[in-house]
Amino acid sequence: MKIVNGNFLNNVKGYTAAGVCAGFKKSGKKDLALIFSECSAVSAATFTTNKAKAACVLINMENIKNETTRAIITNSGQANACTGYQGYEDAVNITKLVSNELNIQPQEVLQASTGVIGIPIPMDKMEIGIKNICSSLSIEGGEDASNSILTTDTVKKVVSVNVEIDGKKVGISGMAKGSGMINPNMATMLSYIITDANISKDMLNSILKESIENSYNMISVDGDTSTNDMVLSMANGMAENNLIEKKDEKYFILKEAIDYVNTELSKKIARDGEGATKLFETIVVGANTILDAKKCAKAVVSSNLVKCAIFGSDANWGRVICALGYSGADFDPYKVDLYFKSAKGEVQVAREGMLIDYSETLAKEILDEEYITIFVDLNSGESEATSWGCDLTYKYVEINGEYRT
Amino acid sequence: MKIVNGNFLNNVKGYTAAGVCAGFKKSGKKDLALIFSECSAVSAATFTTNKAKAACVLINMENIKNETTRAIITNSGQANACTGYQGYEDAVNITKLVSNELNIQPQEVLQASTGVIGIPIPMDKMEIGIKNICSSLSIEGGEDASNSILTTDTVKKVVSVNVEIDGKKVGISGMAKGSGMINPNMATMLSYIITDANISKDMLNSILKESIENSYNMISVDGDTSTNDMVLSMANGMAENNLIEKKDEKYFILKEAIDYVNTELSKKIARDGEGATKLFETIVVGANTILDAKKCAKAVVSSNLVKCAIFGSDANWGRVICALGYSGADFDPYKVDLYFKSAKGEVQVAREGMLIDYSETLAKEILDEEYITIFVDLNSGESEATSWGCDLTYKYVEINGEYRT
């Protein structure tokens, strides 16, 4: 597997993209993005589990059933959530407008919205925006597209890798947004993974479903699951490898690459969490089951108290044990070994669930770094899991607590 | 039911208490509390679900099985959690020391610890402290006891009521602590409910188990479940009502009073949450089941985004709908009506899951108050639930994020 830098569309054959300003954001920043596959692609997706699903989620849940997909359109500024029947009608019209311009079927269009809840998308602006963006598609447009989906994200999030399958170069590129906030409303996580791999819809779906379990589902910024979260994937076959239609060696080569892209995008989202100054990962080993390992890892990165301790560079191992304890996982607290690690070194802070002598100076040095690992050995079984989170800071409260007029 | 002010021991016959400084806290504040029943009492308790239970929890789980209980001893300064076999030995010795001084059985002693995790209780100080406190018991000592269990709580939390059963005055008094933080470690919630009611152990247990579900289990400060949480209850029969031994009218009179005490203590704990400036309750009505109502109510008060919005006096109804949506409850988002209420009035902000026109000025006025109600009507069934939470503030991050040397 090779990691590729630069415009993420250069890495995948047969895709173009664009990002334009359609006027959805007051700031005047680019707010409409389109990714287009020049030929029929298969697609797979996962959607928010939130009961109050946005209109874009609802229509995608229908359109993802179609055998082929050609386009993903995204607006930032309005979430099209809690917008009722009108919101759904608007979503239907968006697919029609895009399909008309690109001469494809409406059900070949997927869409996402991110932004303020409860406010309808201004459809007059959308109509003009769609006309503009469909005539602006290019390979270079990938850059604009990846910027146009952002809200209060501070950096764009793009990852590209390629692998060799059947002697062919297969490219995989992903772009994501999260976890910003608009005028204040809830964060939304969007991620799009496109590849030129030749793969069946079933197999792409299988890879995506497994992959998100170990990436997006293992990050936490604030524990709030948005109404609009989604991960969309397209594969257009232009790499011309032999069709991947079962779980063979080729499948696992592609899966490893997609896993990598999803994991790296997840880490970028966590690092760019609202107000965050640090990214920390929690590696849990020695669990009896994968589920136990995941529960432990997720509880630690989701704990407000641990997040505050990371912000304060405080080796507060008691909070970590506490989070493990209420995670719902089965383990023996008196077998737990606990370490803090970073570029500055590592320090063991607890052995068999109890305090051990350690250098507080070294611990503080380690925790003052921007990337930190909390390493937990449950010393019970063979299962492992990793999660990612960010610190909880004054800035998070400022972003989400300030009343804006 | 009559609400009583003043020393909480004046309201219940046959109890004495004391609070002394044993030297567990560096601050020199009182840090050892004892409540004593002059005659045999029955007892009931609920304990933290955290897997990493503190030694005091483990020994109480044994001693609560005893038919009678006489004393509750509490130290603040060390949590006696993650202290291994030595910690358990220390807990055993605490019961022995108390029982020797008071001439009762070790298994008649319950105990709680709150404070730093992983640091052993200094048993030399405990030994002297127990001698002192056992000779200081008095009715007036209730005041000192309720202060001695506090950590960084900003106020003591005491509630007293009385009811009439069989023509006898039955008193119920409760004291609690939470959710403070010591040198930074996790918050612990402790609550003790004592009564002079004449009731069987079974029935007291039944009342307590039901009561905590609608009180302590419906509050959230930061979602972190401590290793040391517990609610302990004693009933010594000195009110001389006829024994309550089944779920008859007397049972429900007493239950209503105990519910009231637990609910009021819960609200006091939420209001005194770390860094909190406001208490908000979430009332959910119109749910299909009680469980759905509880899931909804708890999700709203636990959401960091809602907590920040309350801090910022921001009528951010989208965050409320979002929290309802991921609560796991079954409901139709397009039936939800949503109101914000306080002493300043009420404002409806969403109807049938969608934005309605409302006065932002009035909404801000309502949310600027110290006590706020979020009222949610799911418009589906007949079930209801109420939860309590506090806002998430800069101060919370400061308390939990500052590295202390």
Side-chain angles (χ1 to χ4, degrees):
Chain A
M1 187 172 68
K2 197 182 144 203
I3 295 155
V4 183
N5 291 317
N7 185 319
F8 79 118
L9 288 191
N10 283 331
N11 187 50
V12 285
K13 289 195 195 103
Y15 290 94
T16 53
V20 301
C21 173
F24 303 129
K25 283 181 185 165
K26 283 182 191 159
S27 65
K29 286 187 181 168
K30 291 193 167 118
D31 49 16
L32 187 63
L34 178 64
I35 303 175
F36 179 62
S37 173
E38 290 169 357
C39 61
S40 290
V42 295
S43 62
T46 59
F47 300 109
T48 182
T49 55
N50 197 305
K51 193 91 183 159
K53 290 178 173 57
C56 52
V57 172
L58 295 175
I59 192 162
N60 282 354
M61 290 172 80
E62 288 308 308
N63 288 347
I64 197 72
K65 294 174 191 164
N66 200 51
E67 273 307 304
T68 57
T69 297
R70 297 289 297 277
I72 302 172
I73 181 111
T74 310
N75 74 294
S76 55
Q78 296 79 32
N80 202 8
C82 302
T83 44
Y85 185 71
Q86 185 58 49
Y88 191 78
E89 279 291 282
D90 291 344
V92 170
N93 281 327
I94 289 168
T95 62
K96 283 185 188 159
L97 290 164
V98 172
S99 61
N100 280 344
E101 290 296 322
L102 296 175
N103 202 21
I104 58 177
Q105 298 300 311
Q107 59 271 27
E108 291 182 312
V109 178
L110 298 176
Q111 68 180 277
S113 298
T114 176
V116 184
I117 280 195
I119 310 289
I121 297 177
M123 286 302 288
D124 51 339
K125 291 180 181 172
M126 181 61 93
E127 200 169 332
I128 299 165
I130 286 175
K131 270 191 202 302
N132 278 342
I133 204 166
C134 290
S135 62
S136 313
L137 289 165
S138 70
I139 292 175
E140 295 69 37
E143 181 83 11
D144 280 344
S146 63
N147 276 314
S148 302
I149 62 171
L150 306 181
T151 54
T152 53
D153 301 59
T154 64
V155 291
K156 74 183 166 87
K157 299 164 186 73
V158 172
V159 176
S160 292
V161 300
N162 62 55
V163 291
E164 198 180 290
I165 298 179
D166 301 328
K168 310 282 184 183
K169 186 200 90 107
V170 174
I172 301 100
S173 288
M175 63 185 238
K177 74 128 328 221
S179 310
M181 178 74 42
I182 283 192
N183 188 30
N185 248 301
M186 79 205 52
T188 291
M189 194 213 75
L190 303 175
S191 187
Y192 309 137
I193 311 300
I194 56 176
T195 173
D196 49 21
N198 186 21
I199 183 169
S200 72
K201 190 172 171 73
D202 263 7
M203 288 298 103
L204 183 64
N205 195 43
S206 163
I207 286 179
L208 194 69
K209 290 279 183 295
E210 273 190 59
S211 190
I212 65 139
E213 289 301 331
N214 297 313
S215 52
Y216 308 106
N217 284 353
M218 293 304 283
I219 59 176
S220 175
V221 170
D222 53 18
D224 281 272
T225 305
S226 159
T227 50
N228 289 49
D229 287 347
M230 61 176 97
V231 182
L232 305 177
S233 181
M234 284 201 284
N236 68 6
M238 288 192 70
E240 298 186 329
N241 57 293
N242 296 326
L243 182 70
I244 301 171
E245 51 187 343
K246 60 177 197 288
K247 293 189 176 179
D248 53 13
E249 192 189 352
K250 291 182 296 201
Y251 173 95
F252 288 105
I253 292 171
L254 185 64
K255 180 171 186 307
E256 190 190 351
I258 290 179
D259 282 347
Y260 177 83
V261 171
N262 283 329
T263 302
E264 290 304 306
L265 287 175
S266 298
K267 286 156 79 169
K268 284 175 192 283
I269 290 169
R271 174 62 189 87
D272 200 27
E274 289 155 6
T277 67
K278 298 178 183 181
L279 172 70
F280 73 103
E281 69 179 353
T282 302
I283 302 176
V284 175
V285 305
N288 287 320
T289 67
I290 297 253
L291 190 61
D292 282 336
K294 284 189 171 186
K295 282 179 179 170
C296 284
K298 194 73 188 285
V300 174
V301 295
S302 303
S303 158
N304 278 356
L305 289 172
V306 173
K307 285 165 177 292
C308 283
I310 295 292
F311 173 54
S313 298
D314 175 10
N316 199 314
W317 63 275
R319 293 185 188 169
V320 177
I321 304 258
C322 176
L324 299 173
Y326 65 67
S327 68
D330 186 30
F331 71 100
D332 178 351
Y334 285 113
K335 283 187 174 176
V336 177
D337 291 336
L338 196 58
Y339 305 75
F340 292 109
K341 303 180 182 186
S342 76
K344 282 284 161 59
E346 78 170 65
V347 63
Q348 181 168 10
V349 289
R351 183 182 299 135
E352 297 179 347
M354 289 186 284
L355 178 66
I356 58 170
D357 247 352
Y358 65 89
S359 157
E360 292 211 14
T361 317
L362 175 60
K364 174 128 180 42
E365 256 179 48
I366 287 169
L367 293 172
D368 272 341
E369 289 292 295
E370 191 183 335
Y371 300 97
I372 294 158
T373 298
I374 299 178
F375 186 90
V376 178
D377 191 340
L378 300 178
N379 286 306
S380 289
E382 302 294 319
S383 298
E384 307 181 1
T386 303
S387 62
W388 299 273
C390 57
D391 51 350
L392 176 56
T393 69
Y394 297 114
K395 190 80 184 167
Y396 177 88
V397 177
E398 184 186 322
I399 293 172
N400 294 304
E402 289 296 299
Y403 187 73
R404 300 170 197 195
T405 48
Chain B
M1 186 172 68
K2 196 179 146 206
I3 296 157
V4 184
N5 291 316
N7 185 320
F8 79 118
L9 287 191
N10 283 331
N11 187 51
V12 283
K13 290 195 195 104
Y15 290 94
T16 53
V20 300
C21 172
F24 303 129
K25 284 180 183 165
K26 283 181 190 159
S27 65
K29 286 187 180 168
K30 292 193 166 117
D31 49 17
L32 187 63
L34 179 64
I35 302 175
F36 178 62
S37 174
E38 289 170 357
C39 60
S40 290
V42 295
S43 63
T46 59
F47 300 109
T48 183
T49 54
N50 198 305
K51 192 92 183 159
K53 291 176 173 57
C56 50
V57 172
L58 295 174
I59 192 163
N60 282 353
M61 290 171 80
E62 287 307 309
N63 288 348
I64 198 71
K65 295 174 191 162
N66 201 51
E67 273 307 306
T68 57
T69 297
R70 297 290 297 276
I72 301 173
I73 180 111
T74 309
N75 74 294
S76 55
Q78 296 80 33
N80 202 9
C82 301
T83 45
Y85 184 73
Q86 184 59 51
Y88 191 79
E89 279 291 281
D90 290 345
V92 169
N93 281 327
I94 289 168
T95 62
K96 283 185 188 160
L97 290 164
V98 172
S99 61
N100 279 344
E101 289 297 321
L102 297 175
N103 202 22
I104 58 178
Q105 298 300 311
Q107 60 272 27
E108 290 182 313
V109 178
L110 298 176
Q111 68 180 278
S113 298
T114 176
V116 184
I117 280 195
I119 309 290
I121 296 176
M123 287 301 288
D124 51 340
K125 292 180 180 172
M126 181 61 94
E127 201 169 331
I128 299 165
I130 287 174
K131 271 190 201 300
N132 278 341
I133 203 164
C134 290
S135 62
S136 313
L137 288 165
S138 70
I139 291 174
E140 296 68 39
E143 182 84 9
D144 281 344
S146 63
N147 277 313
S148 301
I149 63 171
L150 306 181
T151 54
T152 53
D153 301 58
T154 64
V155 291
K156 73 181 166 88
K157 299 166 185 73
V158 173
V159 177
S160 292
V161 301
N162 61 54
V163 292
E164 198 180 291
I165 299 179
D166 302 329
K168 309 284 185 180
K169 185 198 89 104
V170 174
I172 302 101
S173 289
M175 63 185 237
K177 74 132 321 225
S179 310
M181 177 76 42
I182 284 192
N183 188 30
N185 248 301
M186 79 207 50
T188 291
M189 193 214 75
L190 303 176
S191 186
Y192 310 137
I193 311 300
I194 56 176
T195 173
D196 50 20
N198 186 21
I199 183 170
S200 72
K201 189 173 173 72
D202 263 7
M203 289 297 103
L204 183 65
N205 195 43
S206 163
I207 287 180
L208 193 69
K209 290 280 183 295
E210 273 189 59
S211 190
I212 64 140
E213 289 301 331
N214 297 313
S215 53
Y216 309 106
N217 284 353
M218 293 303 286
I219 58 176
S220 175
V221 170
D222 53 16
D224 281 273
T225 305
S226 159
T227 49
N228 289 48
D229 287 347
M230 60 177 97
V231 182
L232 305 177
S233 180
M234 283 201 283
N236 68 7
M238 288 192 70
E240 297 184 332
N241 57 293
N242 296 327
L243 182 69
I244 301 171
E245 50 187 343
K246 60 177 196 287
K247 293 190 177 179
D248 54 13
E249 192 190 352
K250 292 181 298 201
Y251 173 95
F252 289 104
I253 293 171
L254 184 64
K255 180 171 185 307
E256 190 191 351
I258 290 179
D259 282 348
Y260 177 83
V261 170
N262 283 329
T263 302
E264 290 304 306
L265 287 174
S266 297
K267 286 156 79 170
K268 285 175 191 282
I269 290 169
R271 174 62 188 87
D272 200 26
E274 288 154 8
T277 66
K278 298 179 184 179
L279 171 70
F280 72 104
E281 69 180 352
T282 302
I283 302 176
V284 175
V285 305
N288 287 319
T289 68
I290 297 253
L291 190 61
D292 282 336
K294 283 189 171 188
K295 281 179 180 171
C296 283
K298 195 73 188 282
V300 174
V301 295
S302 303
S303 158
N304 278 355
L305 289 172
V306 173
K307 285 165 176 289
C308 282
I310 295 293
F311 174 53
S313 298
D314 175 11
N316 199 314
W317 63 276
R319 292 184 188 168
V320 176
I321 304 258
C322 177
L324 299 174
Y326 66 68
S327 68
D330 186 29
F331 71 99
D332 178 350
Y334 285 113
K335 284 189 175 174
V336 178
D337 292 336
L338 197 58
Y339 305 75
F340 291 109
K341 304 181 181 186
S342 77
K344 283 284 160 58
E346 78 170 65
V347 63
Q348 183 169 7
V349 290
R351 183 181 300 135
E352 297 181 348
M354 289 186 285
L355 179 65
I356 57 170
D357 248 352
Y358 65 88
S359 157
E360 292 212 16
T361 317
L362 174 60
K364 173 126 177 45
E365 256 179 49
I366 288 168
L367 293 171
D368 271 341
E369 289 292 294
E370 192 183 334
Y371 299 98
I372 294 160
T373 298
I374 299 179
F375 187 89
V376 178
D377 191 341
L378 299 179
N379 285 306
S380 290
E382 302 294 320
S383 298
E384 308 180 0
T386 303
S387 62
W388 299 273
C390 57
D391 52 348
L392 176 56
T393 69
Y394 297 115
K395 190 79 183 169
Y396 178 88
V397 177
E398 184 186 322
I399 293 171
N400 294 305
E402 290 295 300
Y403 187 75
R404 303 171 194 194
T405 49

